[in-house]
């Protein structure tokens, strides 16, 4: 097809369909690249903020975030070069220093797949009290990696726009309305945020 873009993925000749990212082409060919700010669910768009999906592009100095990078004709992409795999492990270690992710979460699953069992980096986040003000969802921002999937789900899929991000630099955090406890916010209790959160920062409360 005229609009398809030929490139190589791990040495294999492939083509990208119009608009596809490297990550999408890799998935189509059975190579799952780690990802967190990209949910992987249909309709979620990549945010490109976590850097867990970086790959090596031959001839480029910097690694490319595969979830937001579109292939160019003739590009040679290595998803698992030593440079890319090491960078992804470092990203994961930094995330684990930033957040106390739940052991059964998507983030913890990726850490296991990547062989990351601990972090070399000092903790950058202190434990925070869990907000249990909502009748069905607990909010533990100690586990938040700021991937913004909950913001996207709330704002773009269910059109509630209750969740946002406030603060800058090391002080940014997820907030409900103008930093209200979740249970006192305008949350409509659809659960889209807890369903997509990859770390256990937003979880459905288990029955006692
Ligand atoms: S609460 Fe969960 S989904 Fe929302 S930004 Fe934090 S880690 Fe991502
Ligand atoms: S999944 Fe690509 S930057 Fe987060």
């Amino acid at each position: 097809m005229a609009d398809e873009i030929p490139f190589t993925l791990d040495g294999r000749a492939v083509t990208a369909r119009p608009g596809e990212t490297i990550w999408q082409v890799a998935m189509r060919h059975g190579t799952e690249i780690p990802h967190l700010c990209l949910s992987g669910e249909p309709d979620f768009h990549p945010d490109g903020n976590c850097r867990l999906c970086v790959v090596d592009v031959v001839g480029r100095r910097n690694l490319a975030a595969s979830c937001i990078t579109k292939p160019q004709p003739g590009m040679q992409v290595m998803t698992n070069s030593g440079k890319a795999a090491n960078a992804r492990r470092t990203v994961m270690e930094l995330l684990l220093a930033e957040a106390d992710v739940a052991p059964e979460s998507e983030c913890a699953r990726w850490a296991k797949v990547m062989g990351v069992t601990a972090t070399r980096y000092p903790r950058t986040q202190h434990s925070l009290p869990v907000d249990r003000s909502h009748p069905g969802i607990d909010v533990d921002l100690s586990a938040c990696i700021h991937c913004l999937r909950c913001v996207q789900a709330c704002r773009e899929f269910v059109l509630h726009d209750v969740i946002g991000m406030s603060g800058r630099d090391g002080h940014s955090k997820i907030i409900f309305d103008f930093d209200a406890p979740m249970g006192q916010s305008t949350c409509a209790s659809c659960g889209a945020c807890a369903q997509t959160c990859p770390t256990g920062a937003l979880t459905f409360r288990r029955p006692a």
Side-chain angles (χ1 to χ4, degrees):
M1 196 184 288
D3 289 328
E4 296 206 339
I5 297 156
F7 70 106
T8 65
L9 186 73
D10 297 328
R12 173 177 172 196
V14 294
T15 53
R17 295 171 184 157
E20 269 188 331
T21 61
I22 294 171
W23 189 89
Q24 288 171 316
V25 179
M27 275 299 279
R28 203 157 44 71
H29 287 276
T31 301
E32 192 177 17
I33 302 169
H35 55 101
L36 279 174
C37 69
L38 170 68
S39 121
E41 291 294 316
D43 300 330
F44 261 88
H45 60 74
D47 200 73
N49 70 44
C50 77
R51 309 294 295 177
L52 196 69
C53 67
V54 289
V55 294
D56 216 349
V57 177
V58 174
R60 279 200 194 176
R61 211 174 101 206
N62 295 333
L63 296 168
S66 61
C67 70
I68 50 169
T69 304
K70 297 196 175 142
Q72 300 293 320
M75 199 183 237
Q76 295 173 56
V77 177
M78 308 299 291
T79 64
N80 220 7
S81 68
K83 187 175 161 189
N86 280 339
R88 292 199 296 259
R89 277 195 291 272
T90 299
V91 168
M92 180 55 85
E93 285 192 51
L94 288 167
L95 291 175
L96 296 182
E98 180 187 329
D100 272 332
V101 307
E104 69 282 7
S105 65
E106 191 180 322
C107 185
R109 179 180 71 81
W110 274 120
K112 200 170 165 195
V113 168
M114 295 163 66
V116 176
T117 52
T119 177
R120 288 165 287 168
Y121 300 100
R123 288 275 299 153
T124 54
Q125 166 80 282
H126 298 295
S127 288
L128 299 165
V130 177
D131 171 7
R132 300 187 201 279
S133 60
H134 187 278
I137 295 173
D138 288 336
V139 183
D140 179 5
L141 293 186
S142 312
C144 178
I145 58 167
H146 305 147
C147 69
L148 301 183
R149 276 164 56 167
C150 56
V151 175
Q152 187 180 155
C154 187
R155 183 172 294 160
E156 297 179 32
F157 294 166
V158 292
L159 307 180
H160 291 151
D161 208 359
V162 175
I163 310 179
M165 179 75 112
S166 85
R168 287 172 189 274
D169 304 324
H171 302 289
S172 57
K173 67 167 189 168
I174 290 298
I175 56 168
F176 300 88
D177 293 336
F178 296 101
D179 206 6
M182 189 183 196
Q184 288 161 35
S185 73
T186 55
C187 167
S189 302
C190 69
C193 58
Q195 209 161 344
T196 196
C197 178
T199 64
L202 301 170
T203 48
F204 294 108
R205 188 167 312 136
R206 296 200 174 108

